DNA sequence: ACAATAAGATTACACGCGTAAACAATCCAT
DNA sequence: ATGGATTGTTTACGCGTGTAATCTTATTGT
């Protein structure tokens, strides 16, 4: 069942673009990525192809241009990555993990408030 | 300068043992890991060797037995993994990441309380 | 002292991924 | 219709990793 599609880091960069705006043509994807990275167009095409093979994205051929759409959602991706990270590094100990992040990373005021609200809600009906 | 030692998932399992109790002999490490995994002893020896080469661990030869010690600390490891995960998946957005974890994962009462205290403290003197 | 055993070192191999060149197919412009 | 440009497909290659067999060296029992 859907056999746990694994999206690599570089492939993730492509997916992020498609999650922002869908669909995108190969040209658009290449252009945007070349602003952020130093990948050649061929390299980016490779990633598109691998994502197609993994069925993480699909395309629709409208006349001359291929338009790409994500199949895997950002939410699915984040959830899967979270799980594997949490288990790999923290053996599933969410509390420890969050604590470590809060300890090391800078959070804005609004981040903090937002998290406090989430925690409150979780305490009530979690 | 310490050139960012990258510890793989399987190697991480070895490190975790050494972070729990230090030092350990190869035999002890092999025995413990074979309870948790289905790796052969040779496989585990490979990981020990790679960790030695990466200088993530070291050993002391006391008579016949090699005793292994971690060089990289658990804290260094968690910090590095956190950073790379945060950037890879969330482009550095800690708030978003924590929110996603809180949304998807179960936290115990005490986890929640602990985190709330951390957030309080962070808001004050962060 | 020597054979058996144990422990570490070396070598191996397939697969995913980052990286990209080479090749093929399609379409526009002339 | 044809050649160049565009875009997609195939092939390639080195490195890290999971997986382990084999080789070497050291230790220990007899």
């Amino acid at each position: 069942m859907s056999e746990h599609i694994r999206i690599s880091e570089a492939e993730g960069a492509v997916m992020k673009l498609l999650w922002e705006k869908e669909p995108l043509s190969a040209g658009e994807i290449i252009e945007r990525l070349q602003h952020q990275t130093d990948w050649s167009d061929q390299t980016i095409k490779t990633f598109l192809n691998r994502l197609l093979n993994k069925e993480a994205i699909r395309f629709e051929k409208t006349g001359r241009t291929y338009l790409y759409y994500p199949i895997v959602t950002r939410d699915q991706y984040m959830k899967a990555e979270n799980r594997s990270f949490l288990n790999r590094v923290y053996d599933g100990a969410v509390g420890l993990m969050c604590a470590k992040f809060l300890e090391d990373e800078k959070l804005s005021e609004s981040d903090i408030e937002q998290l406090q609200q989430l925690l409150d809600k979780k305490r009530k009906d979690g």
Side-chain angles (χ1 to χ4, degrees), chain A:
Chain A
M1 195 191 297
S2 146
E3 274 319 314
H4 202 248
I5 295 170
R6 164 78 195 158
I7 291 169
S8 78
E9 175 162 13
E11 289 161 1
V14 176
M15 295 304 290
K16 282 177 191 167
L17 292 183
L18 287 171
W19 287 324
E20 263 177 36
K21 180 159 181 299
E22 155 196 350
L24 290 174
S25 69
E28 289 172 309
I29 292 173
I30 288 170
E31 195 203 316
R32 291 174 195 218
L33 280 178
Q34 286 185 335
H35 277 285
Q36 304 167 24
T37 69
D38 56 354
W39 296 335
S40 84
D41 54 341
Q42 292 307 323
T43 297
I44 297 167
K45 286 182 195 173
T46 300
F47 298 147
L48 280 173
N49 236 285
R50 288 183 181 163
L51 286 168
L52 282 172
N53 288 333
K54 292 180 183 184
E55 296 183 271
I57 64 177
R58 66 191 178 80
F59 67 87
E60 269 171 31
K61 199 174 176 175
T62 314
R64 62 216 105 288
T65 41
Y66 283 45
L67 293 178
Y68 293 90
Y69 298 78
I71 296 175
V72 173
T73 66
R74 173 136 220 211
D75 232 70
Q76 290 172 329
Y77 169 75
M78 291 191 297
K79 196 161 180 170
E81 291 298 324
N82 279 2
R83 281 222 151 271
S84 88
F85 172 69
L86 187 60
N87 287 317
R88 181 167 62 78
V89 180
Y90 293 91
D91 295 314
V94 205
L96 174 58
M97 191 218 66
C98 285
K100 208 80 193 73
F101 265 108
L102 297 186
E103 195 179 297
D104 291 340
E105 304 293 330
K106 322 210 172 317
L107 285 135
S108 69
E109 277 298 313
S110 72
D111 276 339
I112 294 180
E113 264 175 50
Q114 205 188 326
L115 289 177
Q116 279 181 322
Q117 278 173 20
L118 269 176
L119 283 171
D120 276 346
K121 212 176 103 208
K122 221 173 161 60
R123 158 174 278 167
K124 278 188 202 105
D125 49 56

